[in-house]
Amino acid sequence: MSAIGAPRAKSARDKAQDVMYQAWDQAEPSKRIALANKALTISPLCADAYVLLAEEKAKSAKEALEYYRKGLDAGSQALGTKAFNEYAGHFWGFLETRPYMRARAGLAATLDALGDVEASIGHYRDMLRLNPGDNQGIRYLLARCFMKSRDIESLRQLLKQFDEDGTGLWLYTRALISFRDNGAEDKTAAELARKACKANRHVPAVLAGAKAMKSSMNGYLTIGGEDEAAHYVDEWGFDWVTTPGAVDWLTKIAADMASTQMDRRSMH
């Protein structure tokens, strides 16, 4: 009989997860892969091991898809039906839900890459239901999928759902959709464009081809930085360029803002 207050013995799944923490600390891919395989020998319900194998061992998107599917199944079994239902609406806030969410995000992104946008949308929608706080930034991926599928009404609803998002990535898309809906004279579109320019001043020039794209070198984006602008234009540039008058409209707003700022500086 265990003593009162004694720490809970680690389960096989806990031990496997500890191995994954070691794997993420490794610099060499071969060592990470070996540790992921080791984790699965300890517990086949280690979803993060499948995620790592999908990212680093898979030789094709289809092979990655199978790893992600196994990871999703493992994560679901690890949680169990009772916990899954209890945590719904608060996923990611509980550490044990995160492997499942990482596997599902990978699965959805891979489905999108393979051209099954509708299946990807289904996963992203449900992930936002499970975690409305969206710690993973799923809304950005879902917005892109809605645009790809030309489901503009769902995109409008999503933009409204997260209307407090003040990032350039979100504000520029809100401005674009408002411009498309209501035209260049729309005050709401103009205000959104000004807010977007304040959030990231580089996007208009990159969209107009007046400034070269400077992509991130490490996979991370600098909020308000040139790499963030490059990422946004890479994702949404086609939609801006193919919307008649949109880039000229945005460029004019950015120029007017810059001119106003210069006038203010000259007054001091």
Side-chain angles (χ1 to χ4, degrees):
M1 186 173 179
S2 60
I4 295 175
R8 177 180 66 87
K10 282 193 174 183
S11 67
R13 199 165 65 248
D14 292 333
K15 293 175 182 178
Q17 193 65 38
D18 286 343
V19 172
M20 287 310 302
Y21 293 136
Q22 296 174 33
W24 291 328
D25 284 338
Q26 296 296 320
E28 294 180 27
S30 60
K31 290 183 178 180
R32 291 197 294 269
I33 290 170
L35 286 167
N37 285 323
K38 178 183 176 180
L40 289 173
T41 65
I42 298 171
S43 172
L45 299 185
C46 184
D48 275 332
Y50 288 114
V51 171
L52 189 147
L53 293 174
E55 293 173 348
E56 304 201 22
K57 186 180 180 183
K59 298 295 191 293
S60 67
K62 288 186 178 180
E63 188 178 346
L65 194 69
E66 290 309 307
Y67 278 125
Y68 283 127
R69 281 180 172 149
K70 289 178 180 178
L72 190 64
D73 184 56
S76 182
Q77 288 187 54
L79 282 172
T81 304
K82 182 180 178 182
F84 195 97
N85 292 333
E86 285 179 356
Y87 293 152
H90 306 283
F91 268 52
W92 202 262
F94 298 90
L95 285 176
E96 55 265 47
T97 67
R98 294 183 183 184
Y100 170 90
M101 293 294 272
R102 283 190 280 264
R104 197 162 187 183
L107 177 64
T110 307
L111 285 166
D112 180 22
L114 289 169
D116 196 347
V117 180
E118 291 305 318
S120 182
I121 286 172
H123 283 290
Y124 287 144
R125 278 186 183 274
D126 201 47
M127 290 179 74
L128 288 181
R129 178 188 67 83
L130 293 171
N131 178 32
D134 192 24
N135 305 73
Q136 292 171 282
I138 296 301
R139 59 186 176 275
Y140 304 110
L141 304 171
L142 180 55
R144 193 74 212 110
C145 286
F146 282 146
M147 182 59 90
K148 283 183 184 178
S149 64
R150 295 293 178 253
D151 187 354
I152 306 303
E153 182 53 38
S154 291
L155 176 56
R156 288 192 196 97
Q157 292 174 11
L158 182 67
L159 292 170
K160 185 177 180 181
Q161 181 181 347
F162 292 96
D163 63 357
E164 293 183 1
D165 186 331
T167 64
L169 296 174
W170 204 244
L171 289 166
Y172 276 108
T173 299
R174 288 185 65 196
L176 174 63
I177 297 304
S178 190
F179 174 87
R180 286 168 62 136
D181 286 345
N182 305 306
E185 301 306 315
D186 182 57
K187 291 182 179 179
T188 299
E191 181 58 27
L192 286 168
R194 283 190 287 271
K195 287 181 178 179
C197 289
K198 288 178 182 177
N200 190 309
R201 62 186 176 85
H202 306 288
V203 171
V206 177
L207 273 173
K211 192 172 191 176
M213 291 177 65
K214 293 185 179 180
S215 300
S216 170
M217 301 298 290
N218 58 12
Y220 294 96
L221 299 180
T222 307
I223 299 301
E226 292 180 89
D227 53 359
E228 183 189 55
H231 171 75
Y232 180 78
V233 173
D234 187 52
E235 291 287 314
W236 290 91
F238 176 81
D239 301 292
W240 276 92
V241 171
T242 55
T243 300
V247 174
D248 289 341
W249 167 77
L250 180 64
T251 303
K252 184 179 184 306
I253 288 175
D256 289 346
M257 289 177 66
S259 177
T260 300
Q261 288 176 349
M262 288 182 65
D263 289 343
R264 285 175 181 168
R265 287 172 188 159
S266 65
M267 291 172 66
H268 292 285

